[in-house]
């Protein structure tokens, strides 16, 4: 959570942005579900096309919590990096 000072800076930024004003209680009360305002769009379902490369196989394995936290500590892409490490470990 932001501190009071950070929150004040955020709110000043919101007040200066005329193109993106903060929503009021009246704005929220006037809102309706997207299915009511654009029903055709709400009904549309996107279908994923065929994959261009071989799919990966979903597996479930139990790992020590400290190992998972260490892998995640390097940020997004940790599963790909773990996959690369396993490939190297088994000589692929």
């Amino acid at each position: 959570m932001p501190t009071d000072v950070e929150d004040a800076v955020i709110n000043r930024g919101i007040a200066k942005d005329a193109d993106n004003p903060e929503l009021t209680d009246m704005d929220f009360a006037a809102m309706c579900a997207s299915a009511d305002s654009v029903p055709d769009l709400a009904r549309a379902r996107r279908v994923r096309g065929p994959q261009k490369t071989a799919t990966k196989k979903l597996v479930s394995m139990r790992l020590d919590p400290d190992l998972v936290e260490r892998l995640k500590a390097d940020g997004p892409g940790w599963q790909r990096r773990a996959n690369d490490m396993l490939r190297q470990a088994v000589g692929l």
Side-chain angles (χ1 to χ4, degrees), residues 6-80:
E6 292 169 331
D7 196 45
V9 170
I10 292 168
N11 286 325
R12 281 196 301 274
I14 291 170
K16 290 179 184 178
D17 188 357
D19 293 329
N20 193 20
E22 187 168 15
L23 296 174
T24 65
D25 289 340
M26 286 179 47
D27 293 326
F28 282 110
M31 289 183 183
C32 64
S34 61
D36 295 336
S37 58
V38 281
D40 292 338
L41 182 61
R43 280 193 298 272
R45 296 280 183 227
R46 294 181 65 187
V47 178
R48 182 177 176 177
Q51 291 193 347
K52 296 177 178 139
T53 60
T55 60
K56 296 198 175 198
K57 184 168 179 86
L58 177 64
V59 297
S60 177
M61 65 188 310
R62 296 183 182 277
L63 301 171
D64 294 330
D66 58 337
L67 174 61
V68 175
E69 290 309 310
R70 175 58 188 91
L71 290 167
K72 287 183 174 183
D74 289 334
W78 69 271
Q79 291 172 319
R80 178 188 42 77

